[in-house]
Amino acid sequence: MLLYIHIPFCDSKCFYCAFNSYTSKFNLKQDYMKALEYQLKDNIKRHIIDKNKKIKTVFIGGGTPSTIKPELYNEIFKLFLPHLEKDAEITVEANPNSATVSWQQAMFDLGVNRISFGVQSFDDKKLKFLGRAHSSKSAIEAIENANRIGFKGINCDIIYGVVDDSFESLKKDFDIIKTLPINHISAYSLIIEEETKFFLMEKERQKSLKSLKIDDEELSYEIFSYLENMGFKQYEIANFAKDKKYESKHNYGYWSYTEYLGVGAGAVACIENQREYSKKSLENYISNPLKVEFEKLSNQDIKEEKILLGLRCKSGFNIDLLSNDELKKANYLIEEKKLFLYEDDKDGRKIVNKNFLLADELALYILD
């Protein structure tokens, strides 16, 4: 079982962000953390203790977890620590402007062993354009502090495909990463989503026919190749690690369809082929953190997700998932060297994809 904990508070709202997060309502922080404890305690009893299970990984995301004082996490950690597998990965997201040395040290002392920084760029002009609240200098300092404190895994988020991006400008970001103690990179292509400032700006810019984003497949391939040469192996469409031990075990759990708990406002859980959605509104969540909406997943839903997610990362999917007609299509793709078949000692015969940018297209071809 995986555990995701959502922290919905942010010091500022990035222009591209569509996550459930708030830059006000800080007066609700303590009440929110109490509600979080209540939901987590209930979830651990029902899904961990009563079913004699263990928690494989923990991911504290947001929002911005570094806006919450470490002492407000104490009771949360007391609840889940006794139920962790040995050497479990515990990740926390942080923004450079709020991840002070004291905050990082306190989270490390609680048991966090992996930290993920929302850097997005080391170019101050681009950071301002994205609506980020930190500078390149503060990002570098935060990363170096994490290393000195002793975090085993340090991730750096980078956004590309923003207007005026080029391979040369992005190369400067990656060349700075070379000099830092970073062992994992998440490189995301910009997506403009509804209810973001960029969405409103994009509608205005459509009049001048100049988009905020670049759709350039060649740029993606150049980035992937450069990161490979830097020693960062791609193991998912947007994720690169210096070594297998630095890959995100938590995210891998999602991609391999492992059950997960999700606590917090707007968090999602998936247990026994059923999704649970917590209330998004902070006030509604605080008033009743156990009130969730359910979505039953059909066998077809699960199969399609396993295939799509499997093709987006190096783990692939089991060939036994396919019907006869789907198998014929998959075999054609294997013959054309678009997909590959191999024997896995643990999971049997698996189909894997080596060009993750084609994952959706390949999945749709098989399932259509």
Side-chain angles (χ1 to χ4, degrees), residues 86-97:
K86 186 181 178 183
D87 300 324
E89 174 189 273
I90 306 176
T91 302
V92 67
E93 290 184 329
N95 277 354
N97 60 318

Side-chain angles (χ1 to χ4, degrees), residues 105-164:
Q105 183 67 61
M107 296 304 287
F108 181 80
D109 292 343
L110 280 172
V112 175
N113 49 36
R114 184 173 183 271
I115 189 164
S116 177
F117 290 104
V119 175
Q120 315 312 350
S121 176
F122 291 95
D123 181 309
D124 286 336
K125 184 179 176 183
K126 182 175 175 180
L127 287 171
K128 186 175 181 181
F129 181 76
L130 293 171
R132 299 297 292 172
H134 67 274
S135 66
S136 174
K137 183 175 181 289
S138 63
I140 291 169
E141 288 176 352
I143 291 164
E144 290 175 338
N145 288 334
N147 181 59
R148 280 192 287 269
I149 288 166
F151 285 98
K152 293 178 182 176
I154 301 177
N155 173 67
C156 175
D157 286 351
I158 293 290
I159 284 183
Y160 68 93
V162 181
V163 63
D164 296 329

Side-chain angles (χ1 to χ4, degrees), residues 58-107:
V58 179
F59 195 103
I60 305 170
T64 309
S66 49
T67 60
I68 297 290
K69 293 178 180 178
E71 54 265 32
L72 292 180
Y73 286 106
N74 286 343
E75 295 304 315
I76 299 292
F77 276 73
K78 286 179 185 177
L79 286 171
F80 70 69
L81 282 175
H83 306 288
L84 292 182
E85 287 188 352
K86 186 181 178 183
D87 300 324
E89 174 189 273
I90 306 176
T91 302
V92 67
E93 290 184 329
N95 277 354
N97 60 318
S98 52
T100 61
V101 174
S102 60
W103 185 88
Q104 290 191 51
Q105 183 67 61
M107 296 304 287

Side-chain angles (χ1 to χ4, degrees), residues 13 41 45 71 90-91 96 107 137 195 208 240 265 355 365:
K13 188 81 168 178
K41 187 174 183 179
K45 183 184 183 306
E71 54 265 32
I90 306 176
T91 302
M107 296 304 287
K137 183 175 181 289
E195 299 182 13
S208 62
F240 308 78
N355 186 344
Y365 176 77

Side-chain angles (χ1 to χ4, degrees), residues 251-308:
N251 285 340
Y252 242 132
Y254 291 146
W255 304 326
S256 59
Y257 220 81
T258 304
E259 288 187 319
Y260 55 91
L261 302 175
V263 296
V268 181
C270 188
I271 303 158
E272 296 177 352
N273 301 336
Q274 182 170 263
R275 285 210 178 91
E276 298 180 6
Y277 299 88
S278 295
K279 291 294 183 184
K280 276 192 168 186
S281 158
L282 285 188
E283 291 82 359
N284 290 345
Y285 175 78
I286 290 168
S287 67
N288 189 355
L290 301 187
K291 189 175 178 64
V292 297
E293 294 181 2
F294 298 96
E295 177 192 11
K296 188 69 177 175
L297 300 172
S298 68
N299 289 336
Q300 184 64 22
D301 292 333
I302 295 165
K303 169 182 164 175
E304 289 178 2
E305 287 191 21
K306 284 182 175 180
I307 291 171
L308 179 57

